[in-house]
Structures are given as structure tokens and as C-alpha cells.
């Protein structure tokens, strides 16, 4: 399995962040402007994952809620999936969120996103509630949380 390197994205990574987000989320992309804005938002961190000496292929975006944290997005470009990048990003978010003082991590996931739900379950997240028809296409959202 690839040895993944994760790091916090800076302003010079904006094009990579936009590229990876679009590849990972497709029709569910936030859109280029919102993705670029996430790099400047207070208390929001963008992490990138890539194989050593290669372009990044995955990203995670999380928000520090001062004592708690929220995972806003995690995505890996399709050709790089199922090789550990998603879990490496999640572990990096957990590490950074703990260092920021968070004791709980929340997220919301499309009830039909089987890969993401499997990743979160494997990491130890538990479902808290379901928001019916939460997404524009009518899909339900599952709210999950984990003590960290
Ligand atoms: C969810 C996502 C980030 C996972 O990234 P990834 O790099 O493929 O994940 P990993 O390789 O680290 O997988 C870790 C574990 O998660 C589970 N998992 C990941 N993808 C899975 C799939 N398609 N089916 C079943 N289990 C899966 C497995 O337990 C896996 O471990 P294993 O490969 O040893 O069995 C990726 O599929 C993705 O970008 N999906 C589209 C975006 C999305 O839905 N994001 C979440 C909402 S914000």
C-alpha cells in the first residue's frame, strides 16, 4: 500500500484543492469559488494527501468548533481510491482536531454514500440521527459523531 503524506494546504495549493474536490465529488462539488474560499475561512483547515513526491490526490476539510470539530468534506480522486488515502486523511484530521482541543468530531454523510459510510464506520463513527431529504437530490443525510 502507498505511504501517504498528509499536510495542511496553503494558498499556493488552491489549484490542486479545486482539482481534487471536483474529481472526488463530481455533481456534488461545492463549486470552484466555495472551494477556494474554504482556504481562507477562519477555523477551517484543508488537508491534502499524496504519495511522496507526487501530486496530491485527496483532501479533507474540517472546522474547529472550539472544543468540538466538524468534518466538512473528505474526498479522494477516483483512480487513487481504496489505497488508504481516505483513512490517512481522516487520521490527520483526528490528530489536528485533538491538538486544537476538540473532544468530539461530527460529520454529515449522504445515506447512500456507501464508501464514505464504510470509511467512517471503520474509523469508529456512530450514527446520531437522520435528516430526511436533506440534499437537493432528495437523499437523506446521516449525522455521525465520534469521541476523539
Ligand atoms: C470515501 C472516500 C474518501 C474513501 O477514500 P479511499 O481513499 O478510497 O478510502 P481508503 O482506501 O482509505 O479506505 C479505508 C477503508 O474504508 C472502507 N472503504 C473505503 N471505500 C470503500 C468502498 N468503496 N466499499 C467498501 N468499503 C470501503 C474500507 O473499510 C477501507 O479499508 P480497506 O480498503 O482496507 O477495506 C472516497 O471513496 C471518496 O472520495 N468518495 C467520494 C466522496 C465522498 O463521498 N466523500 C464523503 C462525503 S464528504
Amino acid at each position: 500500500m502507498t505511504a501517504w503524506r498528509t499536510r495542511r494546504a496553503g494558498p499556493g495549493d488552491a489549484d490542486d484543492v479545486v482539482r481534487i474536490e471536483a474529481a472526488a465529488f463530481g455533481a456534488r462539488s461545492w463549486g470552484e469559488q466555495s472551494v477556494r474560499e474554504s482556504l481562507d475561512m477562519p477555523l477551517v483547515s484543508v488537508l491534502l494527501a499524496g504519495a511522496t513526491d507526487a501530486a496530491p490526490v485527496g483532501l479533507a476539510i474540517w472546522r474547529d468548533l472550539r472544543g468540538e470539530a466538524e468534518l466538512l468534506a473528505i474526498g479522494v480522486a477516483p483512480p487513487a481510491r481504496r489505497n488508504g488515502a481516505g483513512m490517512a486523511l481522516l487520521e490527520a484530521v483526528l490528530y489536528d482536531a485533538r491538538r486544537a482541543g476538540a473532544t468530539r468530531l461530527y460529520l454529515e454523510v449522504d445515506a447512500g454514500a456507501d464508501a464514505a459510510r464504510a470509511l467512517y464506520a471503520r474509523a469508529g463513527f456512530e450514527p446520531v440521527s437522520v435528516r430526511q431529504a436533506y440534499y437537493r437530490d432528495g437523499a437523506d443525510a446521516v449525522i455521525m459523531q465520534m469521541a476523539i
Side-chain angles (χ1 to χ4, degrees):
M1 188 180 284
T2 304
W4 295 103
R5 180 174 164 260
T6 57
R7 64 180 174 85
R8 189 162 175 181
D13 295 306
D15 290 347
D16 276 340
V17 171
V18 167
R19 170 182 60 80
I20 295 165
E21 198 272 348
F25 291 100
R28 284 272 179 87
S29 167
W30 292 6
E32 179 169 350
Q33 189 180 340
S34 299
V35 174
R36 287 187 187 277
E37 285 170 3
S38 70
L39 285 162
D40 293 323
M41 286 173 72
L43 300 177
V44 170
S45 299
V46 181
L47 303 182
L48 288 170
T52 315
D53 296 332
V57 294
L59 61 72
I61 307 177
W62 70 279
R63 176 160 48 196
D64 181 355
L65 299 173
R66 300 293 195 214
E68 296 180 338
E70 182 182 12
L71 182 65
L72 300 174
I74 187 164
V76 173
R81 285 182 189 164
R82 218 57 205 270
N83 194 24
M87 189 61 88
L89 283 160
L90 195 46
E91 284 169 359
V93 170
L94 289 168
Y95 181 85
D96 285 358
R98 285 187 193 111
R99 278 178 61 106
T103 56
R104 199 162 288 278
L105 182 61
Y106 289 91
L107 62 83
E108 142 217 316
V109 59
D110 181 336
D114 293 337
R117 293 192 66 178
L119 172 69
Y120 299 145
R122 174 133 180 219
F125 283 88
E126 291 181 344
V128 178
S129 60
V130 176
R131 293 182 185 156
Q132 307 282 343
Y134 180 78
Y135 296 105
R136 224 176 310 171
D137 60 8
D140 296 344
V142 180
I143 311 303
M144 306 186 82
Q145 63 99 27
M146 177 166 69
I148 65 173

